[in-house]
Amino acid sequence: MNDDSVRARARVRAPELTGKGGWLNTGGDDLTLMDLRGKIVLLDFWTFCCINCLHVLDELRELEEKHRDTLVIVGVHSPKFVHEAEHQAVVDAVERYEVHHPVLDDPELATWKQYAVRAWPTLVVIDPEGYVVAQHAGEGHANAIRTLVEELEAEHEAKGTLRRGDGPYVPPEPVATDLRFPGKAVLLPSGNLLVSDTTRHQLVELAADGETVVRRIGAEGEFREPQGLALLPDGSVVVADTVNHALKRLDPATGAVERIAGTGRQWWQGSPTSGPALEVDLSSPWDVAWWQGKVWVAMAGVHQIWTYDPESRTVEVAAGTTNEGLVDGPAAEAWFAQPSGLAATADRLWIADSETSALRFVEADGGGYAVRTAVGTGLFDFGHRDGAAEQALFQHPLGVTALPDGSVAVSDTYNHALRRFDPASGEVTTLATDLREPSDAVVVGEDVVVVESARHRLTRLRLPEEAVQVESVAHRTRREATEVAPGRLRLDVVFQAPKGQKLDERYGPSTRLLVSSTPPELLLAGEGKGTDLFRDLDLNPEVTEGVLHVSAMAASCDDDPANEYPACHVHQQDWGVPVRVGDGGASRLPLILAGMDDAGEA
């Protein structure tokens, strides 16, 4: 079905924008769709824990600037974690990620439900007359949306329904602090501390007191939201230059910075996963650690662990499949979910796996490596609970730090706490609370220096001999389960190639679908890989609830026979769909990758 017939059929009036948290970046005004009538509106359903959402924010910046007088992007913040439902946390995230458009804080997912959204990120386009004309999930849609915006501009200019002029965005007042949402820190041989000043796109060297600024490092554009830092044996520092999709090397003696890995382009499915470091794309490297003669990289953007070998100047995937979830086993078969913190000990590389709220590790296993989980169960369970590791809970931890006694400290970011896991006893305890989004910690003598990201500072704590007593809480994801019937369930991933493009089948199938479930017993049939974007699943009537994991990819290219080398675009998204199996439930599950559902779902 072509775009024109879809648009002609799908005259779906856009539901109103409502959220109990109210509006940000509007100068205190509340917005309605009527206020935006005459503008092209792009709703960006996002949550600030989600790396794919952050990628989309970056994808949309050029579009937002180019069409500022006709297009209004509205971020609809739809939380996954309890912490993300706190209004101040959303305020912080809007500044941290330089969101320059209005944002609706929707802590109860009211607007999410009205638009039948099933995944972060999801983009919905509303025309100047207030009708939904397109929906896209995941990354890689910027070009398609640009084409649609230009088409809508021409159409509604001709009809007289387009209103040009300034949008409703009002920037907040800037705040003066030495650090702004710092990410990670490392202790230099001099005794000073090097900090990634993430939102200001610099590194900052602080004196041993953790407060006095010695110098700032990074010319304009040299870093973009840097995060992880690792000290190498030669005294240089490797920097995870996250939004530049690169690793940089800093010489602390001279302040010189050079790129050592990555091209500056984001890695997409089908790109090389090993080779000369400066020729291989990376995807949002979030932390780095020196372990077993290599730099290990938490590649948050693709849910993997990579390595950089400074001797051969090569990179390669060390663990993870790019599927998002919690699966242990041989490194090449393991699943991660936004690994964001690393810490090396003699025999283990510890990993803060943020989206599964888990503490995991890599260790030698025969001639290779294996991935194990110390604490955590999956994408949807989180909280603050101490005790035996098998029942303990974290909430979106971003950092892990090796402690002198063989245990590890976990920067339990969304619990605002520093936690401790002791491998010897298998116990989790709480070391400190009342920290504001701690994202890393560094051992300095008998103290631990915590990066309090949302307080814009480093905080020095004496390592306590006893744990803090904290009341246990446990949570599941805020999303409601989808009611589905037992037996046959038709899974349809909706994808319509953008106007002027076609599926790229020059080298074989241009689509891919991967399906699995938690627990595995939920699916009697239908799991595994395939090239069709539809699948008949057989649900086990004896398993009443679980999660369907769906990963879809489609590649489309410009449809111009005269162009020998057409531009191609990859569209991809992972869904984790909580389902409840029971009589009366749906027998079809549509997931929109791009376009509109033939059944009429917006």
Side-chain angles (χ1 to χ4, degrees):
M1 186 178 294
N2 66 40
D3 283 331
D4 292 334
S5 62
V6 170
R7 196 169 301 133
R9 174 187 58 77
R11 295 288 286 176
V12 179
R13 177 67 75 178
E16 190 52 83
L17 306 177
T18 59
K20 284 196 172 180
W23 288 88
L24 305 176
N25 284 354
T26 63
D29 294 336
D30 291 342
L31 296 181
T32 67
L33 285 177
M34 184 57 69
D35 297 328
L36 301 173
R37 191 63 55 84
K39 298 286 190 181
I40 301 161
V41 178
L42 174 59
L43 302 183
D44 176 13
F45 289 87
W46 70 298
T47 188
F48 63 79
C49 72
C50 159
I51 190 68
N52 311 91
C53 299
L54 304 186
H55 289 166
V56 166
L57 280 174
D58 289 327
E59 285 181 6
L60 295 178
R61 293 189 198 280
E62 182 180 350
L63 178 76
E64 185 171 29
E65 183 60 36
K66 183 176 180 181
H67 297 274
R68 187 167 293 281
D69 68 332
T70 59
L71 172 69
V72 175
I73 297 179
V74 173
V76 182
H77 189 270
S78 312
K80 171 185 175 181
F81 291 97
V82 169
H83 169 58
E84 292 174 311
E86 296 176 16
H87 182 69
Q88 185 58 47
V90 181
V91 173
D92 289 344
V94 167
E95 180 190 349
R96 180 195 297 263
Y97 297 116
E98 298 180 298
V99 179
H100 295 161
H101 50 249
V103 173
L104 174 64
D105 180 10
D106 183 19
E108 296 180 349
L109 304 183
T111 296
W112 165 287
K113 294 171 187 174
Q114 286 292 310
Y115 281 82
V117 175
R118 296 184 185 275
W120 296 278
T122 290
L123 302 170
V124 176
V125 180
I126 302 171
D127 73 12
E129 294 179 284
Y131 291 95
V132 174
V133 293
Q135 180 169 330
H136 305 265
E139 301 179 51
H141 303 291
N143 186 70
I145 292 172
R146 176 186 57 78
T147 301
L148 177 57
V149 166
E150 291 171 353
E151 189 179 298
L152 289 171
E153 283 177 341
E155 176 185 336
H156 288 273
E157 188 103 75
K159 290 175 66 175
T161 49
L162 184 70
R163 177 166 56 90
R164 292 185 180 272
D166 292 338
Y169 169 65
V170 178
E173 290 294 322
V175 181
T177 53
D178 287 333
L179 301 174
R180 206 70 194 159
F181 298 104
K184 306 286 186 182
V186 68
L187 181 65
L188 297 173
S190 65
N192 289 351
L193 289 153
L194 187 67
V195 184
S196 53
D197 195 15
T198 303
T199 298
R200 294 224 175 97
H201 312 292
Q202 290 183 321
L203 308 181
V204 177
E205 183 177 345
L206 300 176
D209 62 8
E211 298 179 8
T212 305
V213 175
V214 175
R215 60 174 168 166
R216 294 184 173 273
I217 301 167
E220 185 174 350
E222 193 159 41
F223 297 113
R224 288 182 65 203
E225 297 183 25
Q227 286 283 347
L229 305 165
L231 185 68
L232 300 190
D234 65 2
S236 64
V237 176
V238 172
V239 183
D241 192 6
T242 304
V243 177
N244 277 329
H245 307 297
L247 301 183
K248 303 283 179 66
R249 176 186 176 274
L250 166 69
D251 182 346
T254 65
V257 176
E258 64 172 331
R259 179 169 54 92
I260 58 173
T263 63
R265 297 184 301 271
Q266 184 183 341
W267 187 94
W268 288 99
Q269 291 287 350
S271 301
T273 55
S274 64
L278 291 171
E279 299 175 16
V280 177
D281 298 341
L282 308 181
S283 182
S284 296
W286 205 274
D287 203 7
V288 281
W290 179 254
W291 189 56
Q292 298 196 347
K294 295 181 180 179
V295 176
W296 293 66
V297 185
M299 203 70 73
V302 285
H303 317 300
Q304 291 180 316
I305 307 296
W306 288 42
T307 59
Y308 164 72
D309 185 340
E311 290 293 324
S312 62
R313 298 183 182 181
T314 56
V315 292
E316 64 180 349
V317 174
T321 63
T322 75
N323 296 320
E324 184 178 11
L326 192 155
V327 175
D328 289 340
E333 300 172 16
W335 292 23
F336 296 97
Q338 263 175 245
S340 301
L342 300 176
T345 59
D347 58 348
R348 288 180 176 177
L349 179 73
W350 293 95
I351 302 163
D353 201 30
S354 63
E355 280 292 290
T356 55
S357 297
L359 174 65
R360 308 177 71 188
F361 59 90
V362 175
E363 64 180 358
D365 183 41
Y369 292 99
V371 176
R372 319 277 187 215
T373 298
V375 182
T377 58
L379 286 164
F380 300 101
D381 295 293
F382 54 91
H384 190 148
R385 189 162 63 199
D386 289 331
E390 55 268 21
Q391 56 86 53
L393 294 171
F394 299 127
Q395 187 181 177
H396 197 78
L398 290 178
V400 59
T401 306
L403 298 179
D405 64 358
S407 65
V408 291
V410 176
S411 294
D412 194 4
T413 308
Y414 288 3
N415 281 328
H416 310 301
L418 189 68
R419 312 283 294 282
R420 176 179 178 267
F421 171 68
D422 183 358
S425 66
E427 293 285 313
V428 174
T429 53
T430 297
L431 297 177
T433 57
D434 192 31
L435 302 167
R436 187 69 186 170
E437 292 192 21
S439 54
D440 196 17
V442 182
V443 174
V444 181
E446 296 182 355
D447 298 337
V448 60
V449 175
V450 180
V451 179
E452 274 199 275
S453 190
R455 282 200 178 113
H456 319 293
R457 71 186 189 193
L458 303 188
T459 298
R460 186 178 296 265
L461 304 172
R462 179 58 53 97
L463 279 172
E465 295 181 6
E466 296 184 3
V468 177
Q469 298 302 308
V470 176
E471 184 177 350
S472 294
V473 291
H475 304 285
R476 284 187 64 80
T477 181
R478 301 175 69 87
R479 283 187 289 166
E480 295 178 0
T482 298
E483 303 285 344
V484 294
R488 183 66 55 85
L489 176 68
R490 173 73 171 202
L491 171 66
D492 282 324
V493 174
V494 177
F495 178 78
Q496 289 144 359
K499 187 172 183 178
Q501 296 180 31
K502 64 178 181 179
L503 289 174
D504 176 20
E505 297 179 338
R506 292 171 297 168
Y507 308 108
S510 61
T511 56
R512 189 189 67 174
L513 182 65
L514 174 67
V515 179
S516 64
S517 66
T518 303
E521 297 77 26
L522 174 64
L523 282 179
L524 296 175
E527 75 278 10
K529 298 179 181 178
T531 56
D532 292 322
L533 291 180
F534 58 87
R535 186 84 55 87
D536 286 325
L537 311 180
D538 190 2
L539 300 183
N540 188 343
E542 297 181 4
V543 179
T544 57
E545 62 179 28
V547 179
L548 291 174
H549 303 282
V550 180
S551 178
M553 185 273 288
S556 61
C557 294
D558 293 346
D559 187 11
D560 182 359
N563 187 352
E564 186 178 354
Y565 302 104
C568 295
H569 312 275
V570 176
H571 318 264
Q572 62 185 48
Q573 173 63 10
D574 295 333
W575 292 267
V577 183
V579 295
R580 187 176 295 113
V581 182
D583 293 335
S587 59
R588 176 177 179 265
L589 177 62
L591 300 175
I592 297 178
L593 181 60
M596 302 283 280
D597 181 22
D598 286 339
E601 179 179 295

